[in-house]
Amino acid sequence: MGPKRSVPSGSKSAPKKRRKVMNLKEKVELLDMLRSGKTAAAVGRHYCVNESTVRHIKKKEKEIREAIAAAAPTTAKYLHKPRDPNLSRVESATFFWVLDCYKKGIPIDSGIIREKAKSLYDFLKENEGEGSTSADFQASKGWFENFKKRFSLCSVKVMGEAASADQETASVGQEAARESPETPKKLIEEKGSIQLLHFKLDCSDVPEVNVLERSFSVHKVHSVKDMENIFQLVRNVIPPLTTKKHKGQDGRIGIVGGCQEYTGAPYFAAISALKVGADLSHVFCTKDAAPVIKSYSPELIVHPVLDSPNADQEVAKWLPRLHTIVIGPGLGRDDTLLENAKGIIEKSKVRGIPVVIDADGLWLIAQQPSLIQGYQRAILTPNYMEFSRLYETMFRTSVDSNDNHRCVLRLSQALGNLTVVQKGEKDIISDGEKVLVCSHEGSSRRCGGQGDLLSGSLGVLAHWAFLAGPEKTNGQNPFLVAAFGACSLTRQCNNQAFQKYGRSMTTTDMIAEVGMAFSKLFET
């Protein structure tokens, strides 16, 4: 064999071509192209990848769509195994159990907490039977450290006048524990709190006022400085107006609702979305509602499909083009429409689309909480009555009107840390970790349709905040930021319209104020 040729001095080898790594959003779009009938070769050329890569992604379709449904960021380039839902339930149960022990003054340490969590998990796994897909759970030290961070247990402390009484209780509890060494064992083996795994907790088993500091870390939004900080986060996520964009980039919003009795609500939601800054608003309504809604405005795209036999499939065709779905305005409570709305929610979850649920959409959730439970890209916007119905469904007890903040927090946690916006004299917003209070000045006028303005504007802001990413929201939950922005905007519109029309003000008057209110709050 001849000698190797020497490389001329000073010459450099060509840089190695970097392999293209597609994120989840691109993979879903690729899969949708394949579903539309395009060949693997054509799709590969479109994305500048090998045909074998396209076929490999096709094989992984189920895992990719499951990752989207589990609320994985669509910009993620690698799949992570979805979190065990049983573990989430066990952690919630353990969290409430710890608080209960704290109130009663029962001394517990990390070892007892870990054993309790493992005991609950094993109990749940055993109940699933031989077909259980749950993995083994060891409640390791690493898990416990993450559990502490997730629930901020280090921040639990007694506040106010209750401190001395609880300290006395604690000392009694510690004395009792020394006299009865079997107490920790009994605490671990007791399965009473397993009912929390199904979120059907009797509130008498939970501490009355033990408040977590983390739950109210942004609670004091009444100060001008803190409110301004949150307003700045909203301003950060608003996309700038530029001539380089094309139609649709700033938001394509879908409104699911509108029947013979209720045609105003979907119109208010859809037109509000356009007024806030969305490029396109679609309304998916019943056949008899469509002509009426179309007559309100030529700017809306109206689909008369909601009462068709395959309504969910008809709407699913449009989901790849939509950024947010708002479900509920003008939906009504007809069984067929509710069943179709259920199918649309399921299909939206599979695609990882943010979902805002309002009005009769909340009635559906109150009947079937599991439909949305754990989907953290959902935002619920109940008024007081709707909130009470949801709360009683989850906890089998009525709302404590003296502690609305804690009730909103608990409901969010019970639903899997969704964002919940309780509308009222002050709008209370929580994602199960933090609580925001929007007390921006509105008016005393409560005409019908204001909630539709809120849900429509929230649909747009949720898309913008989600797209902006954590660097623009300072690490805050984007849906918290969006909800605060939508609540503030609705209140500002209410205030401006009331100044002009007083008692005769209607939601139509409020919608006319959206542009000026938006500019005043977020652009000056």
Side-chain angles (χ1 to χ4, degrees):
M1 182 183 293
K4 292 184 179 178
R5 288 181 294 176
S6 59
V7 179
S9 60
S11 66
K12 294 183 179 180
S13 59
K16 186 177 179 181
K17 187 176 180 180
R18 192 169 184 179
R19 182 169 68 92
K20 178 178 175 63
V21 180
M22 301 178 73
N23 60 39
L24 282 180
K25 183 178 179 182
E26 291 172 326
K27 289 177 181 178
V28 170
E29 290 172 352
L30 181 151
L31 291 168
D32 289 339
M33 289 180 70
L34 289 175
R35 281 189 175 183
S36 68
K38 292 192 176 182
T39 64
V43 174
R45 286 194 296 272
H46 179 82
Y47 285 98
C48 300
V49 297
N50 294 330
E51 188 176 341
S52 60
T53 301
V54 176
R55 297 189 187 283
H56 177 73
I57 292 173
K58 177 63 178 173
K59 287 182 181 179
K60 298 287 185 181
E61 180 172 9
K62 182 179 178 182
E63 291 91 333
I64 292 170
R65 296 197 185 276
E66 283 178 351
I68 287 289
T74 53
T75 53
K77 296 188 176 179
Y78 301 98
L79 289 179
H80 298 276
K81 184 178 178 182
R83 198 160 190 263
D84 183 351
N86 285 344
L87 184 55
S88 297
R89 296 188 184 103
V90 165
E91 287 185 348
S92 294
T94 305
F95 167 66
F96 281 109
W97 173 80
V98 168
L99 288 182
D100 195 30
C101 290
Y102 181 71
K103 181 198 175 189
K104 295 174 180 176
I106 300 174
I108 53 176
D109 57 21
S110 62
I112 294 175
I113 295 173
R114 287 166 55 197
E115 287 187 58
K116 179 66 173 181
K118 187 176 187 314
S119 170
L120 293 175
Y121 190 92
D122 291 344
F123 178 81
L124 187 61
K125 185 176 179 182
E126 182 182 334
N127 282 356
E128 289 182 341
E130 296 181 0
S132 173
T133 58
S134 300
D136 290 334
F137 172 60
Q138 300 302 325
S140 63
K141 289 183 178 179
W143 167 83
F144 180 70
E145 290 303 316
N146 289 330
F147 172 72
K148 283 202 304 180
K149 291 176 183 177
R150 190 171 294 116
F151 290 91
S152 298
L153 288 179
C154 58
S155 297
V156 176
K157 68 178 183 179
V158 181
M159 296 183 176
E161 297 176 359
S164 59
D166 276 8
Q167 286 165 2
E168 289 177 14
T169 307
S171 63
V172 172
Q174 290 164 3
E175 188 67 32
R178 282 192 290 271
E179 293 176 3
S180 177
E182 294 183 358
T183 298
K185 184 178 179 181
K186 289 179 180 178
L187 281 172
I188 293 164
E189 291 178 350
E190 183 188 27
K191 296 298 187 295
S193 62
I194 201 69
Q195 60 186 318
L196 279 165
L197 300 177
H198 304 287
F199 301 108
K200 293 179 180 177
L201 172 68
D202 177 0
C203 279
S204 62
D205 292 335
V206 179
E208 292 179 3
V209 202
N210 282 351
V211 177
L212 295 179
E213 278 191 308
R214 69 169 179 88
S215 304
F216 293 86
S217 57
V218 200
H219 176 207
K220 296 178 181 178
V221 294
H222 301 289
S223 73
V224 174
K225 181 179 178 182
D226 285 338
M227 284 195 75
E228 182 57 35
N229 288 341
I230 302 169
F231 274 125
Q232 187 56 52
L233 296 183
V234 180
R235 295 184 187 111
N236 290 348
V237 305
I238 297 171
L241 294 173
T242 170
T243 57
K244 296 182 179 180
K245 290 181 180 178
H246 59 74
K247 181 176 66 178
Q249 277 189 279
D250 278 345
R252 299 185 293 272
I253 310 303
I255 311 296
V256 177
C259 59
Q260 185 175 18
E261 295 88 350
Y262 306 113
T263 56
Y267 162 74
F268 286 144
I271 201 68
S272 296
L274 287 178
K275 292 277 189 179
V276 167
D279 291 336
L280 296 168
S281 264
H282 296 253
V283 178
F284 300 92
C285 61
T286 63
K287 289 183 178 63
D288 47 9
V292 181
I293 297 173
K294 284 182 179 181
S295 72
Y296 292 151
S297 172
E299 282 134 351
L300 308 182
I301 304 168
V302 183
H303 308 266
V305 299
L306 195 54
D307 52 351
S308 63
N310 57 340
D312 57 338
Q313 297 294 337
E314 291 291 333
V315 177
K317 295 176 184 177
W318 289 91
L319 291 181
R321 310 183 196 184
L322 301 178
H323 295 120
T324 309
I325 285 284
V326 180
I327 294 180
L331 179 63
R333 296 182 185 177
D334 178 81
D335 289 341
T336 300
L337 298 185
L338 291 174
E339 192 62 28
N340 290 338
K342 176 182 175 182
I344 294 166
I345 291 174
E346 294 285 12
K347 286 178 168 53
S348 300
K349 286 165 58 181
V350 169
R351 295 196 62 85
I353 299 173
V355 178
V356 178
I357 302 181
D358 187 35
D360 287 322
L362 295 169
W363 168 269
L364 174 62
I365 299 303
Q367 311 309 307
Q368 303 178 54
S370 60
L371 181 60
I372 206 70
Q373 200 166 30
Y375 186 62
Q376 294 183 359
R377 293 184 186 179
I379 308 172
L380 310 186
T381 59
N383 58 28
Y384 184 80
M385 291 304 298
E386 291 161 343
F387 181 86
S388 298
R389 189 182 300 121
L390 285 167
Y391 194 88
E392 288 169 13
T393 296
M394 301 306 296
F395 297 107
R396 299 293 186 262
T397 189
S398 57
V399 175
D400 179 3
S401 57
N402 294 319
D403 196 356
N404 280 332
H405 303 87
R406 182 171 173 272
C407 289
V408 176
L409 178 81
R410 289 190 63 218
L411 181 62
S412 174
Q413 291 171 340
L415 288 169
N417 289 77
L418 313 184
T419 300
V420 176
V421 182
Q422 186 196 42
K423 300 175 291 190
E425 182 181 358
K426 296 177 181 178
D427 298 325
I428 304 171
I429 310 162
S430 179
D431 62 352
E433 293 187 1
K434 294 177 180 173
V435 173
L436 299 180
V437 178
C438 180
S439 55
H440 191 79
E441 185 179 1
S443 81
S444 53
R445 178 76 168 114
R446 293 291 178 270
C447 53
Q450 296 184 57
D452 305 310
L453 193 162
L454 172 64
S455 62
S457 59
L458 179 52
V460 184
L461 287 167
H463 164 57
W464 289 348
F466 184 64
L467 190 67
E471 62 278 2
K472 292 289 185 72
T473 61
N474 197 27
Q476 300 289 344
N477 183 333
F479 299 127
L480 272 183
V481 175
F484 187 86
C487 290
S488 301
L489 178 63
T490 303
R491 287 169 168 270
Q492 182 65 29
C493 292
N494 182 283
N495 181 269
Q496 290 179 193
F498 187 77
Q499 295 300 320
K500 292 182 179 180
Y501 303 103
R503 188 180 294 274
S504 68
M505 181 197 81
T506 64
T507 298
T508 301
D509 301 321
M510 288 176 59
I511 289 173
E513 299 294 327
V514 169
M516 188 66 69
F518 188 94
S519 177
K520 183 175 182 178
L521 289 177
F522 307 128
E523 293 180 333
T524 57

